[in-house]
Amino acid sequence: MNQAFIVTKEHRRFTEFANAVRKEKTIGICHGAAGVGKTNSARRYANWDALEPYINEWGPRGDHDAKHYAMADRSRTVFYTPEVLCRPKDLMNELMHWQIKVGICADEHVRSLSPEAAAEKQHDVTRFVELLIIDEAERLTPTALELLRDRHDRTHLAMILIGMPGIDERFRHYPQLYSRLGFSHHYRALGREELLFVLDRHWKRLGKTLDPDDFTDAQAIAAIERITRGNFRLLERLFPQINRVLKINQLDTITDDVIEAAASILVIGN
């Protein structure tokens, strides 16, 4: 079951960062620990959870097309995760494939709004794509990075490279790429106030009300804060187990003991 996306302060910061990279037509780096929400924010920005399956199916036109065309025109962004051993030539071909498909969708939306645009001859639809987001950028080889840098120079396509902490230091070894970096964004774990906001949503999903001033809830919050340290992915993994512990033991209250029992089921790194 897909859970509703929770708009956090970090997601808003990522959106501002992505808009700046796109506006300035530069290359940006987004780095942060595993599980803090980098990928989710990037996919949300690109409307990729809806656009990717639509483009993959790419069949006869239907009633749902207009919605996806509008999404593509709003984001004008391609989100891509390279394979672990991706060959540079394959990488560039696949990126062009996604640029063309997203560009076609955006073009269709523009044509639907303007009779003049609809009457124009077919042009290069890839120009509609203004931002390329590459996740797991550590997988990119030096040759792939050089090809991306060359495409940026030739087309002025804005790019965001997402990776783990230290990826910005790695790119220092590629001066031609590093000199073109316009922005660096550190995606951080949830702070105390955001953690409470997210926990309140989770409590409500379980049909309960979170009260930080209640002693039992305060203990539960402290346990979750200690276990997850604001890691969004770990938080999302923890709550299905909390629900499971509650049901198995026929409990109604989320206590620190329930949270400890749920956490013991998970594999949690240092």
Side-chain angles (χ1 to χ4, degrees):
M1 180 180 68
N2 291 329
Q3 295 182 341
F5 184 86
I6 299 175
V7 179
T8 63
K9 182 170 69 175
E10 281 304 308
H11 174 69
R12 290 195 297 271
R13 289 181 66 241
F14 177 86
T15 298
E16 292 171 358
F17 158 71
N19 285 339
V21 171
R22 183 172 159 183
K23 179 181 178 182
E24 298 298 326
K25 298 182 179 180
T26 185
I27 300 176
I29 294 178
C30 175
H31 56 94
V36 292
K38 305 183 300 295
T39 299
N40 284 343
S41 281
R43 291 181 68 90
R44 173 80 169 191
Y45 183 88
N47 291 320
W48 211 242
D49 286 345
L51 284 176
E52 183 182 28
Y54 173 76
I55 290 174
N56 275 330
E57 290 170 7
W58 205 258
R61 297 292 183 257
D63 295 335
H64 60 304
D65 290 325
K67 178 182 72 173
H68 290 91
Y69 294 161
M71 282 183 185
D73 187 55
R74 280 198 305 272
S75 72
R76 299 199 173 197
T77 300
V78 167
F79 175 90
Y80 183 77
T81 304
E83 296 181 355
V84 175
L85 298 176
C86 182
R87 296 190 303 174
K89 183 178 179 181
D90 293 338
L91 168 74
M92 302 310 290
N93 287 339
E94 288 183 25
L95 289 175
M96 180 57 70
H97 162 81
W98 286 106
Q99 279 185 257
I100 291 171
K101 291 297 178 69
V102 171
I104 289 173
C105 292
D107 182 45
E108 289 289 345
H109 179 71
V110 172
R111 286 172 179 271
S112 71
L113 298 178
S114 168
E116 293 80 8
E120 287 183 6
K121 293 182 179 180
Q122 185 70 16
H123 46 256
D124 179 16
V125 293
T126 62
R127 70 182 179 86
F128 284 103
V129 176
E130 299 173 352
L131 177 62
L132 170 63
I133 301 177
I134 298 183
D135 199 13
E136 307 285 358
E138 295 91 352
R139 297 176 179 179
L140 298 174
T141 64
T143 302
L145 289 170
E146 178 60 18
L147 286 169
L148 287 171
R149 195 271 307 170
D150 181 70
R151 177 167 292 185
H152 168 74
D153 286 353
R154 293 175 185 274
T155 66
H156 304 291
L157 175 64
M159 299 181 185
I160 292 176
L161 306 175
I162 299 179
M164 295 287 286
I167 192 172
D168 51 337
E169 292 300 320
R170 176 195 164 190
F171 287 156
R172 287 181 183 273
H173 299 295
Y174 308 104
Q176 284 190 309
L177 173 69
Y178 197 78
S179 65
R180 287 161 175 79
L181 296 180
F183 299 93
S184 178
H185 175 68
H186 180 202
Y187 203 111
R188 298 171 297 200
L190 296 171
R192 169 74 178 183
E193 291 184 4
E194 282 193 299
L195 180 64
L196 290 176
F197 173 75
V198 173
L199 292 182
D200 181 64
R201 296 284 295 270
H202 280 291
W203 248 255
K204 287 177 179 176
R205 286 173 184 165
L206 296 177
K208 306 179 187 309
T209 302
L210 178 66
D211 181 6
D213 293 326
D214 179 85
F215 181 72
T216 301
D217 285 358
Q219 281 189 312
I221 292 168
I224 292 174
E225 196 170 19
R226 173 174 51 79
I227 291 167
T228 67
R229 286 170 292 180
N231 186 287
F232 196 86
R233 183 185 299 160
L234 186 52
L235 197 64
E236 295 295 304
R237 289 173 54 210
L238 181 62
F239 265 86
Q241 300 303 331
I242 290 174
N243 191 30
R244 179 170 175 265
V245 171
L246 290 173
K247 287 182 177 180
I248 289 174
N249 296 280
Q250 298 181 334
L251 299 172
D252 293 323
T253 305
I254 302 175
T255 65
D256 56 343
D257 288 335
V258 168
I259 291 161
E260 294 289 351
S264 68
I265 303 170
L266 299 175
V267 177
I268 300 175
N270 292 329

